[in-house]
Amino acid sequence: QVQLVESGGGSVQAGGSLRLSCAASGYTFNSYFMGWFRQAPGKEREWVADTATYSTNYLESVRGRFTISRDNAKNTLYLQMNSLKPEDTAMYYCAADVRRERLRAGNPQYWGQGTQVTVSS
């Protein structure tokens, strides 16, 4: 069965960095669009970034600070987060879909269970 397992979350001070990973299994990883979403307490889940093999896209508020990447040989998705801000505090989820528009709409075929990121000021 399909599994997406995130790791790498934690607590950091503002200005710090974290690298999230998402290990995928049970499907053909390189055939899917992959993305990261986040949900802060009391807020809607929002799209953060997504990637196909040769393209990446970012939420404007994270552009230049976050980098999404994928290793198709390892079936793993990453999110390098630098210059973290308190407003980046959220549960971060990875997601997968064969259709980019469905992924970006927040209704992907597959979700991970999430990893918590907490940024203190």
Side-chain angles (χ1 to χ4, degrees):
Q1 72 278 21
V2 173
Q3 280 194 311
L4 299 175
V5 181
E6 300 96 333
S7 60
S11 296
V12 295
Q13 291 191 323
S17 298
L18 285 172
R19 188 194 196 202
L20 306 184
S21 299
C22 173
S25 61
Y27 68 101
T28 307
F29 182 77
N30 61 7
S31 296
Y32 279 66
F33 291 96
M34 297 295 299
W36 289 98
F37 289 75
R38 66 186 181 186
Q39 187 168 20
K43 294 188 176 181
E44 296 289 318
R45 188 176 299 188
E46 67 175 351
W47 167 83
V48 173
D50 64 51
T51 180
T53 301
Y54 300 112
S55 66
T56 57
N57 297 276
Y58 296 95
L59 181 70
E60 188 58 36
S61 63
V62 308
R63 190 187 306 276
R65 299 189 297 120
F66 291 11
T67 302
I68 188 171
S69 62
R70 61 193 296 163
D71 185 334
N72 288 338
K74 295 183 178 180
N75 289 356
T76 302
L77 178 73
Y78 302 99
L79 186 68
Q80 177 67 45
M81 304 186 294
N82 298 329
S83 303
L84 281 161
K85 303 176 181 181
E87 52 264 43
D88 295 319
T89 295
M91 185 71 79
Y92 282 71
Y93 300 87
C94 73
D97 203 302
V98 291
R99 293 173 55 187
R100 172 171 270 167
E101 62 275 18
R102 193 163 56 194
L103 177 74
R104 290 217 185 147
N107 191 31
Q109 290 174 272
Y110 307 117
W111 286 107
Q113 85 289 349
T115 186
Q116 177 68 38
V117 171
T118 303
V119 185
S120 58
S121 58

